[in-house]
CSV table of all heavy atoms in Angstrom, one decimal:
chain,number,residue,atom,x,y,z
A,228,THR,N,-11.7,-18.0,42.9
A,228,THR,CA,-12.1,-18.6,44.2
A,228,THR,C,-12.0,-17.5,45.3
A,228,THR,O,-12.8,-17.6,46.3
A,228,THR,CB,-11.2,-19.8,44.5
A,228,THR,OG1,-9.9,-19.4,44.4
A,228,THR,CG2,-11.6,-21.0,43.6
A,229,MET,N,-11.1,-16.6,45.2
A,229,MET,CA,-11.0,-15.5,46.2
A,229,MET,C,-12.4,-14.7,46.2
A,229,MET,O,-12.9,-14.4,47.3
A,229,MET,CB,-9.9,-14.5,45.8
A,229,MET,CG,-8.5,-15.0,46.3
A,229,MET,SD,-7.3,-13.7,45.9
A,229,MET,CE,-7.5,-12.6,47.2
A,230,LEU,N,-12.9,-14.4,45.0
A,230,LEU,CA,-14.2,-13.7,45.0
A,230,LEU,C,-15.3,-14.6,45.6
A,230,LEU,O,-16.2,-14.1,46.3
A,230,LEU,CB,-14.5,-13.4,43.5
A,230,LEU,CG,-13.7,-12.2,42.9
A,230,LEU,CD1,-14.1,-12.1,41.4
A,230,LEU,CD2,-14.0,-10.9,43.6
A,231,TYR,N,-15.2,-15.9,45.3
A,231,TYR,CA,-16.2,-16.8,45.9
A,231,TYR,C,-16.2,-16.8,47.4
A,231,TYR,O,-17.2,-16.6,48.0
A,231,TYR,CB,-15.9,-18.2,45.3
A,231,TYR,CG,-16.7,-19.3,46.1
A,231,TYR,CD1,-18.1,-19.4,45.9
A,231,TYR,CD2,-16.0,-20.2,46.9
A,231,TYR,CE1,-18.8,-20.4,46.6
A,231,TYR,CE2,-16.7,-21.2,47.5
A,231,TYR,CZ,-18.1,-21.3,47.4
A,231,TYR,OH,-18.8,-22.3,48.0
A,232,PHE,N,-15.0,-16.9,48.0
A,232,PHE,CA,-14.9,-16.9,49.4
A,232,PHE,C,-15.3,-15.5,50.0
A,232,PHE,O,-16.0,-15.4,51.0
A,232,PHE,CB,-13.5,-17.3,49.9
A,232,PHE,CG,-13.3,-18.8,49.8
A,232,PHE,CD1,-12.3,-19.3,49.0
A,232,PHE,CD2,-14.1,-19.6,50.6
A,232,PHE,CE1,-12.2,-20.7,48.9
A,232,PHE,CE2,-13.9,-21.0,50.5
A,232,PHE,CZ,-12.9,-21.5,49.7
A,233,ALA,N,-14.8,-14.5,49.3
A,233,ALA,CA,-15.2,-13.1,49.8
A,233,ALA,C,-16.7,-12.9,49.8
A,233,ALA,O,-17.2,-12.4,50.8
A,233,ALA,CB,-14.5,-12.1,48.9
A,234,ASN,N,-17.3,-13.3,48.8
A,234,ASN,CA,-18.8,-13.1,48.7
A,234,ASN,C,-19.5,-14.0,49.7
A,234,ASN,O,-20.5,-13.6,50.3
A,234,ASN,CB,-19.2,-13.5,47.3
A,234,ASN,CG,-20.7,-13.1,47.1
A,234,ASN,OD1,-21.1,-12.0,47.3
A,234,ASN,ND2,-21.5,-14.1,46.7
A,235,ASN,N,-19.0,-15.2,49.9
A,235,ASN,CA,-19.6,-16.1,50.9
A,235,ASN,C,-19.5,-15.6,52.3
A,235,ASN,O,-20.4,-15.8,53.1
A,235,ASN,CB,-19.0,-17.5,50.8
A,235,ASN,CG,-19.8,-18.5,50.0
A,235,ASN,OD1,-20.7,-18.0,49.3
A,235,ASN,ND2,-19.5,-19.7,50.0
A,236,ALA,N,-18.4,-14.9,52.5
A,236,ALA,CA,-18.2,-14.3,53.9
A,236,ALA,C,-18.8,-12.9,54.0
A,236,ALA,O,-18.6,-12.2,55.0
A,236,ALA,CB,-16.7,-14.3,54.2
A,237,LEU,N,-19.6,-12.6,53.0
A,237,LEU,CA,-20.3,-11.2,52.9
A,237,LEU,C,-19.2,-10.1,53.1
A,237,LEU,O,-19.5,-9.2,53.9
A,237,LEU,CB,-21.3,-11.1,54.0
A,237,LEU,CG,-22.5,-12.2,53.9
A,237,LEU,CD1,-23.4,-12.1,55.1
A,237,LEU,CD2,-23.2,-12.0,52.7
A,238,ALA,N,-18.1,-10.2,52.4
A,238,ALA,CA,-17.0,-9.3,52.6
A,238,ALA,C,-17.5,-7.8,52.4
A,238,ALA,O,-17.2,-6.9,53.2
A,238,ALA,CB,-15.9,-9.6,51.7
A,239,LEU,N,-18.2,-7.6,51.3
A,239,LEU,CA,-18.6,-6.2,51.0
A,239,LEU,C,-19.6,-5.7,52.1
A,239,LEU,O,-19.4,-4.6,52.5
A,239,LEU,CB,-19.3,-6.2,49.6
A,239,LEU,CG,-18.4,-5.9,48.5
A,239,LEU,CD1,-19.3,-5.7,47.2
A,239,LEU,CD2,-17.7,-4.6,48.7
A,240,GLN,N,-20.6,-6.5,52.4
A,240,GLN,CA,-21.5,-6.0,53.4
A,240,GLN,C,-20.9,-5.7,54.8
A,240,GLN,O,-21.3,-4.9,55.5
A,240,GLN,CB,-22.6,-7.1,53.6
A,240,GLN,CG,-23.6,-7.2,52.5
A,240,GLN,CD,-23.2,-8.2,51.4
A,240,GLN,OE1,-22.0,-8.4,51.2
A,240,GLN,NE2,-24.1,-8.9,50.8
A,241,ARG,N,-19.8,-6.4,55.0
A,241,ARG,CA,-19.1,-6.2,56.3
A,241,ARG,C,-18.0,-5.1,56.1
A,241,ARG,O,-17.2,-4.9,57.0
A,241,ARG,CB,-18.5,-7.5,56.8
A,241,ARG,CG,-19.5,-8.5,57.3
A,241,ARG,CD,-19.1,-9.9,57.3
A,241,ARG,NE,-18.2,-10.2,58.4
A,241,ARG,CZ,-17.6,-11.4,58.6
A,241,ARG,NH1,-17.9,-12.3,57.8
A,241,ARG,NH2,-16.8,-11.5,59.6
A,242,GLY,N,-18.0,-4.5,54.9
A,242,GLY,CA,-17.0,-3.4,54.7
A,242,GLY,C,-15.6,-3.8,54.3
A,242,GLY,O,-14.7,-3.0,54.3
A,243,ALA,N,-15.4,-5.1,54.1
A,243,ALA,CA,-14.0,-5.6,53.8
A,243,ALA,C,-13.8,-5.5,52.3
A,243,ALA,O,-13.5,-6.5,51.6
A,243,ALA,CB,-13.8,-7.0,54.3
A,244,TRP,N,-13.8,-4.2,51.8
A,244,TRP,CA,-13.6,-4.1,50.4
A,244,TRP,C,-12.2,-4.6,49.9
A,244,TRP,O,-12.0,-5.0,48.8
A,244,TRP,CB,-13.7,-2.6,50.0
A,244,TRP,CG,-12.8,-1.7,50.8
A,244,TRP,CD1,-13.1,-1.1,52.0
A,244,TRP,CD2,-11.4,-1.4,50.5
A,244,TRP,NE1,-12.0,-0.4,52.4
A,244,TRP,CE2,-10.9,-0.6,51.6
A,244,TRP,CE3,-10.5,-1.8,49.5
A,244,TRP,CZ2,-9.6,-0.1,51.6
A,244,TRP,CZ3,-9.2,-1.3,49.6
A,244,TRP,CH2,-8.8,-0.5,50.6
A,245,TRP,N,-11.2,-4.6,50.8
A,245,TRP,CA,-9.9,-5.0,50.4
A,245,TRP,C,-9.8,-6.5,50.1
A,245,TRP,O,-8.9,-6.9,49.5
A,245,TRP,CB,-8.9,-4.7,51.6
A,245,TRP,CG,-9.3,-5.3,52.9
A,245,TRP,CD1,-9.0,-6.6,53.3
A,245,TRP,CD2,-10.1,-4.7,53.9
A,245,TRP,NE1,-9.6,-6.8,54.5
A,245,TRP,CE2,-10.2,-5.7,54.9
A,245,TRP,CE3,-10.7,-3.5,54.1
A,245,TRP,CZ2,-11.0,-5.4,56.1
A,245,TRP,CZ3,-11.4,-3.2,55.2
A,245,TRP,CH2,-11.5,-4.2,56.2
A,246,TRP,N,-10.8,-7.2,50.5
A,246,TRP,CA,-10.9,-8.6,50.1
A,246,TRP,C,-11.6,-8.8,48.8
A,246,TRP,O,-11.2,-9.6,48.0
A,246,TRP,CB,-11.6,-9.4,51.3
A,246,TRP,CG,-11.5,-10.9,51.2
A,246,TRP,CD1,-10.8,-11.6,50.3
A,246,TRP,CD2,-12.3,-11.8,52.0
A,246,TRP,NE1,-11.0,-12.9,50.5
A,246,TRP,CE2,-11.9,-13.1,51.5
A,246,TRP,CE3,-13.1,-11.6,53.1
A,246,TRP,CZ2,-12.5,-14.2,52.1
A,246,TRP,CZ3,-13.6,-12.8,53.6
A,246,TRP,CH2,-13.3,-14.0,53.2
A,247,PHE,N,-12.7,-8.1,48.6
A,247,PHE,CA,-13.5,-8.3,47.4
A,247,PHE,C,-13.0,-7.5,46.2
A,247,PHE,O,-13.1,-8.0,45.1
A,247,PHE,CB,-14.9,-7.9,47.7
A,247,PHE,CG,-15.9,-8.2,46.6
A,247,PHE,CD1,-16.3,-9.5,46.4
A,247,PHE,CD2,-16.3,-7.3,45.7
A,247,PHE,CE1,-17.2,-9.8,45.4
A,247,PHE,CE2,-17.1,-7.6,44.7
A,247,PHE,CZ,-17.6,-8.8,44.5
A,248,VAL,N,-12.6,-6.3,46.4
A,248,VAL,CA,-12.3,-5.4,45.2
A,248,VAL,C,-11.0,-5.9,44.5
A,248,VAL,O,-11.1,-6.0,43.2
A,248,VAL,CB,-12.2,-3.9,45.6
A,248,VAL,CG1,-11.8,-3.1,44.5
A,248,VAL,CG2,-13.6,-3.5,46.1
A,249,PRO,N,-9.9,-6.1,45.1
A,249,PRO,CA,-8.7,-6.4,44.4
A,249,PRO,C,-8.7,-7.6,43.4
A,249,PRO,O,-8.3,-7.4,42.2
A,249,PRO,CB,-7.6,-6.7,45.5
A,249,PRO,CG,-8.1,-5.9,46.6
A,249,PRO,CD,-9.6,-6.0,46.6
A,250,PRO,N,-9.3,-8.8,43.7
A,250,PRO,CA,-9.3,-9.8,42.7
A,250,PRO,C,-10.1,-9.4,41.5
A,250,PRO,O,-9.6,-9.7,40.4
A,250,PRO,CB,-10.0,-11.0,43.4
A,250,PRO,CG,-10.0,-10.7,44.9
A,250,PRO,CD,-9.9,-9.2,45.0
A,251,GLY,N,-11.3,-8.8,41.7
A,251,GLY,CA,-12.1,-8.3,40.5
A,251,GLY,C,-11.3,-7.3,39.7
A,251,GLY,O,-11.4,-7.3,38.5
A,252,LEU,N,-10.7,-6.4,40.4
A,252,LEU,CA,-9.9,-5.3,39.7
A,252,LEU,C,-8.8,-5.9,38.9
A,252,LEU,O,-8.6,-5.5,37.8
A,252,LEU,CB,-9.4,-4.4,40.8
A,252,LEU,CG,-9.1,-3.0,40.3
A,252,LEU,CD1,-10.3,-2.3,39.7
A,252,LEU,CD2,-8.5,-2.1,41.4
A,253,CYS,N,-8.1,-7.0,39.4
A,253,CYS,CA,-7.1,-7.6,38.7
A,253,CYS,C,-7.6,-8.3,37.4
A,253,CYS,O,-7.0,-8.1,36.4
A,253,CYS,CB,-6.4,-8.7,39.5
A,253,CYS,SG,-5.3,-8.0,40.8
A,254,ILE,N,-8.8,-9.0,37.6
A,254,ILE,CA,-9.4,-9.6,36.4
A,254,ILE,C,-9.7,-8.5,35.4
A,254,ILE,O,-9.4,-8.6,34.2
A,254,ILE,CB,-10.7,-10.3,36.8
A,254,ILE,CG1,-10.3,-11.5,37.7
A,254,ILE,CG2,-11.4,-10.8,35.6
A,254,ILE,CD1,-11.5,-12.2,38.3
A,255,ALA,N,-10.3,-7.4,35.8
A,255,ALA,CA,-10.7,-6.3,34.9
A,255,ALA,C,-9.4,-5.7,34.3
A,255,ALA,O,-9.5,-5.4,33.1
A,255,ALA,CB,-11.4,-5.2,35.7
A,256,LEU,N,-8.3,-5.6,35.0
A,256,LEU,CA,-7.1,-5.0,34.5
A,256,LEU,C,-6.5,-5.9,33.4
A,256,LEU,O,-6.2,-5.4,32.3
A,256,LEU,CB,-6.1,-4.7,35.6
A,256,LEU,CG,-6.2,-3.4,36.3
A,256,LEU,CD1,-5.2,-3.3,37.4
A,256,LEU,CD2,-5.9,-2.3,35.3
A,257,VAL,N,-6.4,-7.2,33.7
A,257,VAL,CA,-5.9,-8.1,32.7
A,257,VAL,C,-6.8,-8.1,31.5
A,257,VAL,O,-6.3,-8.1,30.4
A,257,VAL,CB,-5.7,-9.5,33.3
A,257,VAL,CG1,-5.3,-10.5,32.2
A,257,VAL,CG2,-4.7,-9.5,34.4
Side-chain angles (χ1 to χ4, degrees):
Chain A
T228 49
M229 279 180 79
L230 286 173
Y231 166 70
F232 282 116
N234 187 55
N235 262 12
L237 302 175
L239 266 186
Q240 286 89 329
R241 290 159 74 182
W244 55 267
W245 57 85
W246 187 8
F247 184 79
V248 174
L252 203 60
C253 285
I254 294 172
L256 271 176
V257 173

